[in-house]
């Protein structure tokens, strides 16, 4: 199958979140399965600064946006490492400097760009023009999030009768439904579609234009990044107002977990680690990494206490409020160590800084993002916290398992699909790989944390738990197989819908 992967970001060309990781990894694994993927994304400033060779295609175009015609051109490059049977995975860049030659992808220090609707209407139309001008002939256009939400609508409304487009199916993947691309109603003019589609069944959302809703309504199939999240978003509050649309389309809604790139996240080869280890040498390796991180971040060098880690945004969605509340009590009453890496709400940054000053040697806070330190925390920590209020998929808990670090999670979304709570039964069955709690409050989180620390003190039990996690495979290979099946299903749905 030929898959055109339309995305607003992809590693290594541009990244703000997990979408970029998916867009950079999944097409490579599809190629390994003998599919024919290619990627298309905007030619951001970041893409030119990524250091990869970019070629001219010689193909230029103009797109009508409202009352003006905007020029653009297609450039060509490849995903690094994307070789399957000596065939590179092609990536096309939609070049329009006024729209994309900026310091940020969606906004800057002053907030979101005010012309985001226009920028991604242009991109969506450019994707469909690429099909014709670059002779791509895809079987499926795989759209991702609101920035490509207009593509399924254009495919159904404008391009359905055009030669070469009749059989193209569309799949829209929701990576986080909280981001919907909602704009004032007059931006409907920018889409070029008739006002008749601006109605509550299709593109309108409480008087505004909603591009994610548009994609959900018009796509042949919909997916999201975990089976549990696919269920959760069909009801409030996690549906974020679109639960009715999704419940109405539940028969074409699928959940597939994201995968982990073990070329990047693997303690046997990780370039950021001072000591490497594998499934046989993890005890000595993790102990050495723990000592090094304790010294690096000013913690007391000790073997006899668990080291608890957190890496992520310091915002309520990630559960930092629960962590701060419980940690403040535990720092005074319990003999454990903590390390926190991330940036976010100033309130939490200030609180963590004050606690680190009050409890030197027990709490280390790194209030910035550092990929290298994130890797070292994964290797050094005994326990990794992910008490997210909601989490569509989550990757960090899967990284932790590969590094022999036990995740403690709130049972939601992809966290529920990947982490099995440690009980006597699950440990005996060989399925336990972490700790989880159901109710999103500090009391439930604290109980789970206490269970985890008691388990850490039971060394045979802890070794068993770590070994189960180390033996699990959360790589892209298993997820890519499911996407191949979903593409075939999407084509079938398109054919049946057309009939």
């Amino acid at each position: 199958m030929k898959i055109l992967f339309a995305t607003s970001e992809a590693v290594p060309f541009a990244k703000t979140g997990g979408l970029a990781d998916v867009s950079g990894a999944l097409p490579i694994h599809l190629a390994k399965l003998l599919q024919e993927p290619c990627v298309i994304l905007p030619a951001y400033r970041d893409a030119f600064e990524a250091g990869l060779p970019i070629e001219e295609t010689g193909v230029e175009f103009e797109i009508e946006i409202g009352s003006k015609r905007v020029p653009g051109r297609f450039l060509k490059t490849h995903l690094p490492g994307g070789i399957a049977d000596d065939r590179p995975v092609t990536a096309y860049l939609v070049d329009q400097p006024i729209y994309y030659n900026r310091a940020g992808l969606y906004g800057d220090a002053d907030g979101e760009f005010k012309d985001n609707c226009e920028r991604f209407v242009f991109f969506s139309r450019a994707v469909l023009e690429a099909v014709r001008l670059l002779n791509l002939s895809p079987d499926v256009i795989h759209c991702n999030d609101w920035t490509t939400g207009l593509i399924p609508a254009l495919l159904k409304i404008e391009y359905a009768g055009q030669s070469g487009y009749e059989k193209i199916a569309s799949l829209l993947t929701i990576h986080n439904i909280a981001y919907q691309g909602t704009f004032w109603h007059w931006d409907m003019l920018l889409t070029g579609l008739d006002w008749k589609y601006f109605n509550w069944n299709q593109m309108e959302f409480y008087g505004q234009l909603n591009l994610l809703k548009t994609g959900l309504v018009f796509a042949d199939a919909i997916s999201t990044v975990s089976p549990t999240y696919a269920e959760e978003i069909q009801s409030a509050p996690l549906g974020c107002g679109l639960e009715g649309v999704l419940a109405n389309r539940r028969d074409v809604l699928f959940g597939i977990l994201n995968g982990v790139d073990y070329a990047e996240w693997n303690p046997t080869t990780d370039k950021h680690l001072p000591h490497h280890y594998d499934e046989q040498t993890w005890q000595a390796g993790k102990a050495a990494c723990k000592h090094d991180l304790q010294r690096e971040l000013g913690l007391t060098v000790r073997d006899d206490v668990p080291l608890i880690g957190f890496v992520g945004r310091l915002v309520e969605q990630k559960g930092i409020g629960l962590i701060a509340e419980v940690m403040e009590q535990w720092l005074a009453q319990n003999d454990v160590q903590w390390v926190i890496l991330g940036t976010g709400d100033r309130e939490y940054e200030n609180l963590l800084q004050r606690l680190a000053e009050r409890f030197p040697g027990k709490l280390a806070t790194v209030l910035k993002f550092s990929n290298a330190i994130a890797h070292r925390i994964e290797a050094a920590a005994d326990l990794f916290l992910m008490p997210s209020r909601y989490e569509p998929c989550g990757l960090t808990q899967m990284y932790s398992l590969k590094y022999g670090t036990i995740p403690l999670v709130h049972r939601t979304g992809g966290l529920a699909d990947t982490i099995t709570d440690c009980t006597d039964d699950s440990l005996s069955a060989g399925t336990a790989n972490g700790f989880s709690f159901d109710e999103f409050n500090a009391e439930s989180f604290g109980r789970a944390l206490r269970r985890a620390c008691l388990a850490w003190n039971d060394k045979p039990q802890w070794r068993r738990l770590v070994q189960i996690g180390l033996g699990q495979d959360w790589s892209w290979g298993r997820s890519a197989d499911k996407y191949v099946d979903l593409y075939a299903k999407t084509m079938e749905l398109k054919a049946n819908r057309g009939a």
Side-chain angles (χ1 to χ4, degrees):
M1 285 179 289
K2 291 184 176 181
I3 311 300
L4 177 55
F5 200 93
T7 178
S8 59
E9 52 187 87
V11 168
F13 305 109
K15 177 177 176 176
T16 64
L19 169 60
D21 295 312
V22 175
S23 303
L26 176 56
I28 291 173
H29 288 275
L30 291 172
K32 290 177 180 178
L33 295 174
L34 303 182
Q35 306 304 308
E36 297 181 59
C38 65
V39 177
I40 186 166
L41 72 155
Y44 302 110
R45 183 182 303 174
D46 288 5
F48 292 106
E49 295 174 352
L52 295 172
I54 296 175
E55 308 169 19
E56 300 274 355
T57 65
V59 177
E60 299 181 353
F61 58 90
E62 281 191 345
I63 287 174
E64 190 172 327
I65 300 290
S67 59
K68 61 187 177 184
R69 295 191 66 81
V70 181
R73 62 176 181 157
F74 295 114
L75 303 174
K76 182 179 178 181
T77 182
H78 299 95
L79 293 180
I83 303 295
D85 296 333
D86 298 320
R87 291 178 294 110
V89 176
T90 301
Y92 293 103
L93 303 176
V94 176
D95 188 30
Q96 211 306 314
I98 293 175
Y99 287 151
Y100 307 125
N101 184 17
R102 304 182 185 183
L105 272 58
Y106 314 111
D108 54 22
D110 297 323
E112 293 185 358
F113 296 132
K114 299 194 183 303
D115 62 346
N116 271 346
C117 184
E118 182 174 340
R119 297 171 74 227
F120 290 104
V121 166
F122 179 87
F123 175 63
S124 295
R125 286 190 169 274
V127 170
L128 289 169
E129 285 301 290
V131 170
R132 175 175 60 87
L133 296 173
L134 299 173
N135 299 312
L136 300 180
S137 304
D139 296 300
V140 178
I141 300 180
H142 186 165
C143 306
N144 293 272
D145 280 344
W146 72 263
T147 50
T148 56
L150 189 63
I151 293 173
L154 293 172
L155 198 56
K156 284 284 192 304
I157 296 167
E158 283 193 12
Y159 286 81
Q162 294 191 28
S163 176
Y165 292 86
E166 308 95 321
K167 295 182 179 180
I168 299 176
S170 62
L171 169 69
L172 175 66
T173 296
I174 307 164
H175 295 266
N176 188 336
I177 201 169
Y179 301 99
Q180 298 183 7
T182 303
F183 303 97
W184 77 323
H185 65 284
W186 288 114
D187 278 345
M188 183 68 186
L189 294 170
L190 299 174
T191 70
L193 296 178
D194 195 291
W195 274 100
K196 70 181 181 181
Y197 298 106
F198 189 78
N199 64 76
W200 70 274
N201 272 320
Q202 293 174 309
M203 300 177 71
E204 182 266 342
F205 183 74
Y206 293 97
Q208 295 183 298
L209 171 65
N210 186 311
L211 293 181
L212 181 61
K213 177 180 178 179
T214 299
L216 298 178
V217 169
F218 285 97
D220 294 303
I222 303 164
S223 73
T224 191
V225 291
S226 73
T228 294
Y229 193 58
E231 293 297 323
E232 290 175 338
I233 58 178
Q234 294 181 52
S235 59
L238 294 186
C240 297
L242 295 178
E243 55 271 9
V245 176
L246 290 163
N248 189 53
R249 302 214 66 199
R250 65 170 61 90
D251 57 328
V252 298
L253 172 60
F254 306 90
I256 299 176
L257 277 167
N258 288 336
V260 171
D261 182 0
Y262 286 147
E264 172 71 14
W265 293 91
N266 190 328
T268 63
T269 57
D270 193 328
K271 64 183 179 182
H272 301 294
L273 302 188
H275 309 279
H276 293 132
Y277 57 91
D278 56 23
E279 292 184 35
Q280 284 70 47
T281 62
W282 66 269
Q283 293 183 77
K286 283 188 68 65
C289 288
K290 183 174 181 177
H291 291 168
D292 274 50
L293 189 74
Q294 287 169 328
R295 281 189 287 266
E296 178 184 356
L297 300 183
L299 295 169
T300 305
V301 178
R302 298 177 62 182
D303 284 318
D304 61 336
V305 293
L307 177 59
I308 302 171
F310 171 86
V311 176
R313 289 181 292 120
L314 306 180
V315 295
E316 191 59 34
Q317 185 248 313
K318 296 296 183 181
I320 191 63
L322 300 188
I323 293 173
E325 184 176 344
V326 170
M327 185 170 62
E328 193 162 10
Q329 293 179 340
W330 277 52
L331 282 167
Q333 300 171 7
N334 295 279
D335 198 16
V336 300
Q337 291 181 335
W338 306 73
V339 55
I340 308 291
L341 169 67
T343 61
D345 292 348
R346 185 61 57 85
E347 168 194 356
Y348 291 122
E349 289 187 1
N350 292 340
L351 173 60
L352 291 170
Q353 191 63 50
R354 289 195 302 270
L355 289 173
E357 292 168 358
R358 281 177 56 197
F359 298 97
K362 293 185 73 173
L363 167 63
T365 59
V366 184
L367 300 178
K368 64 178 182 180
F369 180 72
S370 166
N371 185 47
I373 295 177
H375 281 247
R376 292 199 285 276
I377 290 173
E378 285 287 8
D382 298 294
L383 191 66
F384 194 94
L385 304 180
M386 289 189 72
S388 304
R389 182 180 291 275
Y390 66 91
E391 194 66 63
C393 176
L395 292 173
T396 315
Q397 80 279 13
M398 293 186 267
Y399 301 156
S400 297
L401 295 171
K402 186 68 172 178
Y403 282 69
T405 303
I406 300 303
L408 190 161
V409 307
H410 177 218
R411 202 194 314 265
T412 184
L415 302 178
D417 291 319
T418 53
I419 302 304
T420 300
D421 189 42
C422 180
T423 65
D424 290 340
D425 289 343
S426 61
L427 200 61
S428 297
T431 57
N433 61 0
F435 296 87
S436 60
F437 63 99
D438 291 313
E439 305 213 358
F440 187 78
N441 57 53
E443 183 180 355
S444 295
F445 170 54
R447 283 197 300 267
L449 186 58
R450 190 165 299 280
R451 284 196 297 120
C453 289
L454 288 172
W456 182 85
N457 283 303
D458 184 340
K459 297 309 180 187
Q461 182 185 40
W462 193 261
R463 283 195 298 271
R464 172 66 174 146
L465 193 57
V466 170
Q467 286 162 348
I468 292 170
L470 285 170
Q472 294 178 329
D473 176 16
W474 300 101
S475 67
W476 266 112
R478 62 202 299 277
S479 300
D481 281 330
K482 294 180 180 179
Y483 271 106
V484 171
D485 292 340
L486 180 54
Y487 294 142
K489 178 69 172 177
T490 302
M491 293 168 62
E492 179 186 337
L493 288 166
K494 163 72 175 179
N496 292 341
R497 201 174 185 186

